[in-house]
Amino acid sequence: MRKKIVAGNWKMNKDLAETQALISDLKKSLPATNAEVKIAPTFTNLYPAYEALKDSDVEVVAQNMHQEENGAFTGEISASMLKSIGITTVILGHSERRAYFGEDDALLAKKVDAAIKNDMDVIFCFGEELDDRKADKHFSLVESQLTNALFHLGEDAWKHIVLAYEPVWAIGTGETASPEQAQEMHEFIRKTIAKKYNQTLADGVSILYGGSVKPANAEEIFSKPDVDGGLIGGASLKAEDFVGIVKAI
Ligand code: 13P
């Protein structure tokens, strides 16, 4: 059975006091669940978040990292630095990193390698833009993102990989992929992995959906057979909404 996961990507939101307040609310209100629950605060708040949650079932994860171990890379943070404060999972390839910080598949392949070399887990994000979908290129685009950034990995490395399909047109727009659109793409992703590797490996990979997931639509999206949870942006910033989404899994 593959893992069910609900992860909150807080992006560049919440200062230290706000982070502590939201964590305190989450600790009070998150239900017991068989799913893995994760939150990704911004870098400056990772360690306090880790300290506040280390005895709980909620994992604190990073939103990004650099591909090198250390050196003259001003402003960057390495895998070993994250691990030194207890963080063992990182989100890579988010569409905002791709769009605003020029991260492409080749760079992301290096970041994925660096994470795995450091025995870290990766939540790898990818997905098409609206123009790709309108031009009916969304399947080929997603296949190329997976091929270029992940298909050099050996079978063993896949135990570190969780996928997050996030159609760019659904991120922060209020427009969600329909449960059918999500299922169709997730099924395609799993088939593509099975074709490259094998069915057993493909069946073991958790594939999350991200893009305007809310308490009101989460249950229907999560009910689809190839949707194993969600990567949540806006709705993870309010305890009540995030808890509602966790309850839906
Ligand atoms: P929203 O849930 O705000 O659409 O963001 C999704 C996302 O980008 C999660 O990484």
Side-chain angles (χ1 to χ4, degrees):
M1 268 287 282
R2 51 184 176 259
K3 292 177 286 187
K4 300 258 180 207
I5 299 169
V6 178
N9 174 9
W10 292 7
K11 308 189 180 183
M12 197 174 75
N13 294 294
K14 308 275 178 199
D15 64 17
L16 177 58
E18 291 164 340
T19 295
Q20 286 165 330
L22 180 49
I23 287 173
S24 160
D25 288 346
L26 288 174
K27 280 173 98 167
K28 277 182 229 143
S29 50
L30 273 170
T33 170
N34 290 330
E36 293 186 2
V37 179
K38 305 175 196 289
I39 58 162
T42 194
F43 279 125
T44 51
N45 297 323
L46 277 180
Y47 188 55
Y50 170 80
E51 280 290 317
L53 287 165
K54 68 181 176 197
D55 296 324
S56 79
D57 290 331
V58 180
E59 185 188 2
V60 177
V61 314
Q63 298 177 16
N64 182 32
M65 61 166 229
H66 195 265
Q67 66 276 19
E68 299 295 337
E69 287 293 323
N70 49 49
F73 301 103
T74 301
E76 293 292 334
I77 292 183
S78 70
S80 55
M81 290 169 187
L82 292 173
K83 286 193 74 182
S84 74
I85 58 161
I87 306 298
T88 57
T89 301
V90 61
I91 297 171
L92 293 175
H94 193 279
S95 66
E96 287 144 22
R97 299 296 316 168
R98 295 175 189 257
Y100 307 140
F101 303 97
E103 298 197 6
D104 60 12
D105 292 339
L107 173 68
L108 293 168
K110 289 185 189 157
K111 291 192 175 202
V112 168
D113 288 346
I116 289 170
K117 189 170 160 219
N118 282 278
D119 205 26
M120 291 185 72
D121 295 331
V122 174
I123 300 175
F124 186 80
C125 307
F126 56 97
E128 82 282 359
E129 308 219 13
L130 188 55
D131 285 350
D132 303 316
R133 187 165 274 267
K134 281 189 180 152
D136 208 21
K137 289 186 180 145
H138 44 302
F139 291 113
S140 59
L141 193 274
V142 160
E143 184 168 4
S144 75
Q145 288 174 320
L146 294 173
T147 303
N148 296 339
L150 297 178
F151 280 4
H152 64 287
L153 294 175
E155 281 187 29
D156 226 34
W158 277 82
K159 63 176 182 285
H160 290 289
I161 305 289
V162 167
L163 298 179
Y165 168 60
E166 299 205 304
V168 179
W169 48 272
I171 295 178
T173 58
E175 191 173 339
T176 325
S178 69
E180 291 71 29
Q181 284 173 320
Q183 168 57 25
E184 183 186 38
M185 182 58 88
H186 284 221
E187 192 179 339
F188 170 78
I189 292 162
R190 209 177 296 289
K191 279 192 180 142
T192 305
I193 298 169
K195 207 162 64 180
K196 166 72 185 169
Y197 294 91
N198 58 68
Q199 193 65 48
T200 310
L201 187 150
D203 284 341
V205 178
S206 297
I207 309 176
L208 316 184
Y209 168 79
S212 298
V213 178
K214 308 266 178 287
N217 60 23
E219 195 167 337
E220 209 187 341
I221 295 172
F222 294 163
S223 73
K224 295 294 173 192
D226 286 293
V227 177
D228 304 307
L231 184 56
I232 321 300
S236 70
L237 298 172
K238 266 183 68 185
E240 193 187 339
D241 288 350
F242 191 60
V243 166
I245 293 168
V246 172
K247 282 183 178 157
I249 190 105

